[in-house]
Amino acid sequence: MAGHMGWSLWLVISPAYDRHSKQRYAEVADMLGLGGTTEDEKIILLIEAVEDLKRQVNIPDNLREIIGAEREAEYMASLDHMAEDAFDDQCTGANPRYPLISDLKQ
């Protein structure tokens, strides 16, 4: 169960990448009928809807709730290596904005 919850934790919207991404998130908000008049308002409403859905299906807010405090140190110790692996992954180049390793660690 923890592995599935780990993926679910990343169901977070991060529209700050570029103009095209913001426009697409606003279009999703429109498709869902969430309201809002500006792109930024629509994105805020979409984020709130996703966060509400996460609460409804009991998706934890943070990694500590999934892996437990006792494993958090182990995770943090491996974070640099995981970020480098993600950076080297061939799919990383398909992101709307090419991330820095520091972005991946966040």
Side-chain angles (χ1 to χ4, degrees):
M1 180 72 159
H4 292 48
M5 292 300 282
W7 282 109
S8 300
L9 178 66
W10 307 120
L11 182 60
V12 176
I13 298 173
S14 180
Y17 280 115
D18 61 27
R19 173 84 182 112
H20 182 67
S21 295
K22 286 181 72 170
Q23 179 183 357
R24 291 174 64 190
Y25 283 120
E27 289 172 5
V28 171
D30 286 340
M31 287 183 234
L32 294 173
L34 298 176
T37 54
T38 67
E39 263 185 9
D40 289 337
E41 288 175 356
K42 292 174 184 187
I43 291 168
I44 289 168
L45 291 169
L46 180 59
I47 291 169
E48 290 172 355
V50 169
E51 291 298 327
D52 186 47
L53 176 61
K54 287 171 55 180
R55 280 188 294 281
Q56 289 177 33
V57 296
N58 297 318
I59 295 175
D61 288 330
N62 58 59
L63 189 59
R64 179 182 282 163
E65 291 180 42
I66 296 172
I67 65 173
E70 64 279 354
R71 294 201 54 215
E72 185 177 18
E74 175 187 344
Y75 173 82
M76 295 306 287
S78 65
L79 191 57
D80 287 337
H81 180 70
M82 288 190 293
E84 288 176 18
D85 284 350
F87 184 80
D88 291 338
D89 186 282
Q90 64 183 355
C91 296
T92 300
N95 285 337
R97 182 183 68 131
Y98 202 78
L100 302 173
I101 291 179
S102 59
D103 296 329
L104 296 169
K105 288 171 63 172
Q106 290 180 358

PDB file of all heavy atoms in Angstrom, residues 11-13 15 29 32 34-36 40-56:
ATOM      1  N   LEU A  11       0.283  13.742  -6.509  1.00  0.00           N
ATOM      2  CA  LEU A  11      -0.863  14.309  -7.220  1.00  0.00           C
ATOM      3  C   LEU A  11      -1.048  15.752  -6.751  1.00  0.00           C
ATOM      4  O   LEU A  11      -1.958  16.121  -6.065  1.00  0.00           O
ATOM      5  CB  LEU A  11      -2.121  13.483  -6.943  1.00  0.00           C
ATOM      6  CG  LEU A  11      -3.407  13.906  -7.634  1.00  0.00           C
ATOM      7  CD1 LEU A  11      -3.246  13.855  -9.149  1.00  0.00           C
ATOM      8  CD2 LEU A  11      -4.552  13.018  -7.197  1.00  0.00           C
ATOM      9  N   VAL A  12      -0.079  16.549  -7.118  1.00  0.00           N
ATOM     10  CA  VAL A  12      -0.059  17.962  -6.740  1.00  0.00           C
ATOM     11  C   VAL A  12       0.181  18.746  -8.021  1.00  0.00           C
ATOM     12  O   VAL A  12       0.940  18.332  -8.882  1.00  0.00           O
ATOM     13  CB  VAL A  12       1.076  18.244  -5.734  1.00  0.00           C
ATOM     14  CG1 VAL A  12       1.171  19.714  -5.416  1.00  0.00           C
ATOM     15  CG2 VAL A  12       0.867  17.448  -4.468  1.00  0.00           C
ATOM     16  N   ILE A  13      -0.460  19.857  -8.122  1.00  0.00           N
ATOM     17  CA  ILE A  13      -0.324  20.662  -9.332  1.00  0.00           C
ATOM     18  C   ILE A  13       0.773  21.694  -9.131  1.00  0.00           C
ATOM     19  O   ILE A  13       0.811  22.381  -8.138  1.00  0.00           O
ATOM     20  CB  ILE A  13      -1.660  21.348  -9.648  1.00  0.00           C
ATOM     21  CG1 ILE A  13      -2.713  20.277  -9.916  1.00  0.00           C
ATOM     22  CG2 ILE A  13      -1.524  22.294 -10.825  1.00  0.00           C
ATOM     23  CD1 ILE A  13      -4.096  20.815 -10.080  1.00  0.00           C
ATOM     24  N   PRO A  15       1.895  24.506 -11.504  1.00  0.00           N
ATOM     25  CA  PRO A  15       1.764  25.206 -12.787  1.00  0.00           C
ATOM     26  C   PRO A  15       2.780  26.305 -13.038  1.00  0.00           C
ATOM     27  O   PRO A  15       2.643  27.049 -13.986  1.00  0.00           O
ATOM     28  CB  PRO A  15       0.362  25.800 -12.699  1.00  0.00           C
ATOM     29  CG  PRO A  15       0.173  26.047 -11.252  1.00  0.00           C
ATOM     30  CD  PRO A  15       0.889  24.913 -10.547  1.00  0.00           C
ATOM     31  N   ALA A  29      -9.299  23.390 -15.591  1.00  0.00           N
ATOM     32  CA  ALA A  29     -10.255  23.969 -14.644  1.00  0.00           C
ATOM     33  C   ALA A  29     -11.566  24.300 -15.352  1.00  0.00           C
ATOM     34  O   ALA A  29     -12.653  24.050 -14.808  1.00  0.00           O
ATOM     35  CB  ALA A  29      -9.663  25.220 -13.984  1.00  0.00           C
ATOM     36  N   LEU A  32     -13.572  21.189 -16.036  1.00  0.00           N
ATOM     37  CA  LEU A  32     -14.191  20.675 -14.812  1.00  0.00           C
ATOM     38  C   LEU A  32     -15.264  21.611 -14.260  1.00  0.00           C
ATOM     39  O   LEU A  32     -15.914  21.289 -13.267  1.00  0.00           O
ATOM     40  CB  LEU A  32     -13.113  20.429 -13.751  1.00  0.00           C
ATOM     41  CG  LEU A  32     -12.110  19.329 -14.085  1.00  0.00           C
ATOM     42  CD1 LEU A  32     -10.988  19.296 -13.053  1.00  0.00           C
ATOM     43  CD2 LEU A  32     -12.801  17.981 -14.180  1.00  0.00           C
ATOM     44  N   LEU A  34     -14.904  24.592 -12.791  1.00  0.00           N
ATOM     45  CA  LEU A  34     -14.526  25.065 -11.466  1.00  0.00           C
ATOM     46  C   LEU A  34     -14.727  26.560 -11.268  1.00  0.00           C
ATOM     47  O   LEU A  34     -14.685  27.047 -10.150  1.00  0.00           O
ATOM     48  CB  LEU A  34     -13.068  24.693 -11.173  1.00  0.00           C
ATOM     49  CG  LEU A  34     -12.773  23.195 -11.158  1.00  0.00           C
ATOM     50  CD1 LEU A  34     -11.282  22.957 -10.949  1.00  0.00           C
ATOM     51  CD2 LEU A  34     -13.590  22.490 -10.088  1.00  0.00           C
ATOM     52  N   GLY A  35     -14.920  27.307 -12.340  1.00  0.00           N
ATOM     53  CA  GLY A  35     -15.101  28.748 -12.221  1.00  0.00           C
ATOM     54  C   GLY A  35     -13.798  29.504 -12.364  1.00  0.00           C
ATOM     55  O   GLY A  35     -12.797  28.962 -12.805  1.00  0.00           O
ATOM     56  N   GLY A  36     -13.833  30.761 -11.972  1.00  0.00           N
ATOM     57  CA  GLY A  36     -12.665  31.631 -12.097  1.00  0.00           C
ATOM     58  C   GLY A  36     -12.733  32.410 -13.391  1.00  0.00           C
ATOM     59  O   GLY A  36     -13.262  31.922 -14.399  1.00  0.00           O
ATOM     60  N   ASP A  40      -4.971  32.679 -13.356  1.00  0.00           N
ATOM     61  CA  ASP A  40      -4.502  32.441 -11.996  1.00  0.00           C
ATOM     62  C   ASP A  40      -5.635  31.982 -11.082  1.00  0.00           C
ATOM     63  O   ASP A  40      -5.451  31.071 -10.272  1.00  0.00           O
ATOM     64  CB  ASP A  40      -3.820  33.686 -11.429  1.00  0.00           C
ATOM     65  CG  ASP A  40      -2.463  33.954 -12.076  1.00  0.00           C
ATOM     66  OD1 ASP A  40      -1.859  33.005 -12.620  1.00  0.00           O
ATOM     67  OD2 ASP A  40      -2.010  35.106 -12.029  1.00  0.00           O
ATOM     68  N   GLU A  41      -6.813  32.598 -11.212  1.00  0.00           N
ATOM     69  CA  GLU A  41      -7.960  32.174 -10.398  1.00  0.00           C
ATOM     70  C   GLU A  41      -8.340  30.726 -10.709  1.00  0.00           C
ATOM     71  O   GLU A  41      -8.633  29.937  -9.805  1.00  0.00           O
ATOM     72  CB  GLU A  41      -9.171  33.074 -10.655  1.00  0.00           C
ATOM     73  CG  GLU A  41      -9.044  34.460 -10.070  1.00  0.00           C
ATOM     74  CD  GLU A  41     -10.218  35.359 -10.460  1.00  0.00           C
ATOM     75  OE1 GLU A  41     -11.091  34.930 -11.255  1.00  0.00           O
ATOM     76  OE2 GLU A  41     -10.256  36.501  -9.973  1.00  0.00           O
ATOM     77  N   LYS A  42      -8.345  30.384 -11.997  1.00  0.00           N
ATOM     78  CA  LYS A  42      -8.701  29.034 -12.416  1.00  0.00           C
ATOM     79  C   LYS A  42      -7.704  28.019 -11.877  1.00  0.00           C
ATOM     80  O   LYS A  42      -8.091  26.936 -11.416  1.00  0.00           O
ATOM     81  CB  LYS A  42      -8.774  28.958 -13.937  1.00  0.00           C
ATOM     82  CG  LYS A  42      -9.929  29.764 -14.509  1.00  0.00           C
ATOM     83  CD  LYS A  42      -9.900  29.792 -16.017  1.00  0.00           C
ATOM     84  CE  LYS A  42     -11.014  30.684 -16.544  1.00  0.00           C
ATOM     85  NZ  LYS A  42     -11.143  30.619 -17.991  1.00  0.00           N
ATOM     86  N   ILE A  43      -6.421  28.368 -11.897  1.00  0.00           N
ATOM     87  CA  ILE A  43      -5.393  27.459 -11.396  1.00  0.00           C
ATOM     88  C   ILE A  43      -5.551  27.270  -9.891  1.00  0.00           C
ATOM     89  O   ILE A  43      -5.450  26.150  -9.387  1.00  0.00           O
ATOM     90  CB  ILE A  43      -3.985  27.974 -11.769  1.00  0.00           C
ATOM     91  CG1 ILE A  43      -3.778  27.850 -13.280  1.00  0.00           C
ATOM     92  CG2 ILE A  43      -2.904  27.216 -11.008  1.00  0.00           C
ATOM     93  CD1 ILE A  43      -2.562  28.577 -13.803  1.00  0.00           C
ATOM     94  N   ILE A  44      -5.825  28.335  -9.169  1.00  0.00           N
ATOM     95  CA  ILE A  44      -6.038  28.227  -7.723  1.00  0.00           C
ATOM     96  C   ILE A  44      -7.227  27.306  -7.433  1.00  0.00           C
ATOM     97  O   ILE A  44      -7.157  26.437  -6.556  1.00  0.00           O
ATOM     98  CB  ILE A  44      -6.231  29.615  -7.089  1.00  0.00           C
ATOM     99  CG1 ILE A  44      -4.897  30.370  -7.097  1.00  0.00           C
ATOM    100  CG2 ILE A  44      -6.790  29.508  -5.675  1.00  0.00           C
ATOM    101  CD1 ILE A  44      -5.018  31.848  -6.755  1.00  0.00           C
ATOM    102  N   LEU A  45      -8.315  27.477  -8.193  1.00  0.00           N
ATOM    103  CA  LEU A  45      -9.488  26.617  -7.986  1.00  0.00           C
ATOM    104  C   LEU A  45      -9.186  25.161  -8.333  1.00  0.00           C
ATOM    105  O   LEU A  45      -9.669  24.239  -7.671  1.00  0.00           O
ATOM    106  CB  LEU A  45     -10.667  27.135  -8.811  1.00  0.00           C
ATOM    107  CG  LEU A  45     -11.240  28.466  -8.322  1.00  0.00           C
ATOM    108  CD1 LEU A  45     -12.209  29.039  -9.356  1.00  0.00           C
ATOM    109  CD2 LEU A  45     -11.930  28.289  -6.973  1.00  0.00           C
ATOM    110  N   LEU A  46      -8.355  24.944  -9.355  1.00  0.00           N
ATOM    111  CA  LEU A  46      -7.968  23.579  -9.717  1.00  0.00           C
ATOM    112  C   LEU A  46      -7.115  22.952  -8.623  1.00  0.00           C
ATOM    113  O   LEU A  46      -7.329  21.792  -8.237  1.00  0.00           O
ATOM    114  CB  LEU A  46      -7.224  23.578 -11.054  1.00  0.00           C
ATOM    115  CG  LEU A  46      -6.762  22.215 -11.567  1.00  0.00           C
ATOM    116  CD1 LEU A  46      -7.940  21.264 -11.749  1.00  0.00           C
ATOM    117  CD2 LEU A  46      -5.990  22.388 -12.870  1.00  0.00           C
ATOM    118  N   ILE A  47      -6.172  23.705  -8.097  1.00  0.00           N
ATOM    119  CA  ILE A  47      -5.339  23.195  -7.003  1.00  0.00           C
ATOM    120  C   ILE A  47      -6.206  22.844  -5.801  1.00  0.00           C
ATOM    121  O   ILE A  47      -6.047  21.786  -5.195  1.00  0.00           O
ATOM    122  CB  ILE A  47      -4.246  24.223  -6.629  1.00  0.00           C
ATOM    123  CG1 ILE A  47      -3.227  24.333  -7.763  1.00  0.00           C
ATOM    124  CG2 ILE A  47      -3.564  23.846  -5.312  1.00  0.00           C
ATOM    125  CD1 ILE A  47      -2.264  25.497  -7.619  1.00  0.00           C
ATOM    126  N   GLU A  48      -7.152  23.728  -5.471  1.00  0.00           N
ATOM    127  CA  GLU A  48      -8.052  23.459  -4.344  1.00  0.00           C
ATOM    128  C   GLU A  48      -8.883  22.210  -4.591  1.00  0.00           C
ATOM    129  O   GLU A  48      -9.098  21.402  -3.669  1.00  0.00           O
ATOM    130  CB  GLU A  48      -8.957  24.659  -4.093  1.00  0.00           C
ATOM    131  CG  GLU A  48      -8.216  25.850  -3.522  1.00  0.00           C
ATOM    132  CD  GLU A  48      -9.054  27.115  -3.444  1.00  0.00           C
ATOM    133  OE1 GLU A  48     -10.227  27.108  -3.930  1.00  0.00           O
ATOM    134  OE2 GLU A  48      -8.549  28.117  -2.912  1.00  0.00           O
ATOM    135  N   ALA A  49      -9.331  21.995  -5.829  1.00  0.00           N
ATOM    136  CA  ALA A  49     -10.126  20.804  -6.153  1.00  0.00           C
ATOM    137  C   ALA A  49      -9.298  19.535  -6.018  1.00  0.00           C
ATOM    138  O   ALA A  49      -9.770  18.518  -5.495  1.00  0.00           O
ATOM    139  CB  ALA A  49     -10.701  20.925  -7.570  1.00  0.00           C
ATOM    140  N   VAL A  50      -8.042  19.590  -6.471  1.00  0.00           N
ATOM    141  CA  VAL A  50      -7.163  18.425  -6.350  1.00  0.00           C
ATOM    142  C   VAL A  50      -6.871  18.142  -4.877  1.00  0.00           C
ATOM    143  O   VAL A  50      -6.920  16.988  -4.429  1.00  0.00           O
ATOM    144  CB  VAL A  50      -5.861  18.617  -7.151  1.00  0.00           C
ATOM    145  CG1 VAL A  50      -4.836  17.544  -6.816  1.00  0.00           C
ATOM    146  CG2 VAL A  50      -6.157  18.624  -8.641  1.00  0.00           C
ATOM    147  N   GLU A  51      -6.605  19.178  -4.101  1.00  0.00           N
ATOM    148  CA  GLU A  51      -6.345  18.996  -2.674  1.00  0.00           C
ATOM    149  C   GLU A  51      -7.573  18.428  -1.963  1.00  0.00           C
ATOM    150  O   GLU A  51      -7.459  17.566  -1.095  1.00  0.00           O
ATOM    151  CB  GLU A  51      -5.900  20.310  -2.027  1.00  0.00           C
ATOM    152  CG  GLU A  51      -4.536  20.782  -2.471  1.00  0.00           C
ATOM    153  CD  GLU A  51      -3.409  19.820  -2.118  1.00  0.00           C
ATOM    154  OE1 GLU A  51      -3.481  19.153  -1.072  1.00  0.00           O
ATOM    155  OE2 GLU A  51      -2.456  19.729  -2.906  1.00  0.00           O
ATOM    156  N   ASP A  52      -8.761  18.886  -2.352  1.00  0.00           N
ATOM    157  CA  ASP A  52      -9.995  18.359  -1.775  1.00  0.00           C
ATOM    158  C   ASP A  52     -10.168  16.883  -2.127  1.00  0.00           C
ATOM    159  O   ASP A  52     -10.527  16.065  -1.268  1.00  0.00           O
ATOM    160  CB  ASP A  52     -11.189  19.177  -2.271  1.00  0.00           C
ATOM    161  CG  ASP A  52     -12.481  18.768  -1.595  1.00  0.00           C
ATOM    162  OD1 ASP A  52     -12.491  18.639  -0.347  1.00  0.00           O
ATOM    163  OD2 ASP A  52     -13.490  18.576  -2.307  1.00  0.00           O
ATOM    164  N   LEU A  53      -9.893  16.531  -3.369  1.00  0.00           N
ATOM    165  CA  LEU A  53      -9.972  15.129  -3.784  1.00  0.00           C
ATOM    166  C   LEU A  53      -8.992  14.269  -2.991  1.00  0.00           C
ATOM    167  O   LEU A  53      -9.332  13.165  -2.550  1.00  0.00           O
ATOM    168  CB  LEU A  53      -9.693  15.007  -5.280  1.00  0.00           C
ATOM    169  CG  LEU A  53      -9.652  13.591  -5.854  1.00  0.00           C
ATOM    170  CD1 LEU A  53     -10.995  12.885  -5.669  1.00  0.00           C
ATOM    171  CD2 LEU A  53      -9.262  13.625  -7.331  1.00  0.00           C
ATOM    172  N   LYS A  54      -7.779  14.775  -2.790  1.00  0.00           N
ATOM    173  CA  LYS A  54      -6.796  14.032  -1.996  1.00  0.00           C
ATOM    174  C   LYS A  54      -7.314  13.766  -0.585  1.00  0.00           C
ATOM    175  O   LYS A  54      -7.147  12.667  -0.051  1.00  0.00           O
ATOM    176  CB  LYS A  54      -5.472  14.800  -1.939  1.00  0.00           C
ATOM    177  CG  LYS A  54      -4.693  14.772  -3.238  1.00  0.00           C
ATOM    178  CD  LYS A  54      -3.501  15.698  -3.226  1.00  0.00           C
ATOM    179  CE  LYS A  54      -2.565  15.463  -2.088  1.00  0.00           C
ATOM    180  NZ  LYS A  54      -1.408  16.361  -2.091  1.00  0.00           N
ATOM    181  N   ARG A  55      -7.958  14.766   0.019  1.00  0.00           N
ATOM    182  CA  ARG A  55      -8.525  14.572   1.362  1.00  0.00           C
ATOM    183  C   ARG A  55      -9.640  13.538   1.343  1.00  0.00           C
ATOM    184  O   ARG A  55      -9.729  12.692   2.232  1.00  0.00           O
ATOM    185  CB  ARG A  55      -9.037  15.898   1.924  1.00  0.00           C
ATOM    186  CG  ARG A  55      -7.952  16.790   2.500  1.00  0.00           C
ATOM    187  CD  ARG A  55      -8.534  18.001   3.228  1.00  0.00           C
ATOM    188  NE  ARG A  55      -9.222  18.928   2.338  1.00  0.00           N
ATOM    189  CZ  ARG A  55      -8.620  19.823   1.561  1.00  0.00           C
ATOM    190  NH1 ARG A  55      -7.314  19.930   1.571  1.00  0.00           N
ATOM    191  NH2 ARG A  55      -9.327  20.634   0.785  1.00  0.00           N
ATOM    192  N   GLN A  56     -10.496  13.603   0.330  1.00  0.00           N
ATOM    193  CA  GLN A  56     -11.630  12.684   0.239  1.00  0.00           C
ATOM    194  C   GLN A  56     -11.192  11.228   0.132  1.00  0.00           C
ATOM    195  O   GLN A  56     -11.861  10.341   0.653  1.00  0.00           O
ATOM    196  CB  GLN A  56     -12.508  13.027  -0.968  1.00  0.00           C
ATOM    197  CG  GLN A  56     -13.297  14.299  -0.805  1.00  0.00           C
ATOM    198  CD  GLN A  56     -14.093  14.609  -2.059  1.00  0.00           C
ATOM    199  OE1 GLN A  56     -14.546  13.721  -2.760  1.00  0.00           O
ATOM    200  NE2 GLN A  56     -14.256  15.897  -2.344  1.00  0.00           N
TER     201      GLN A  56
END
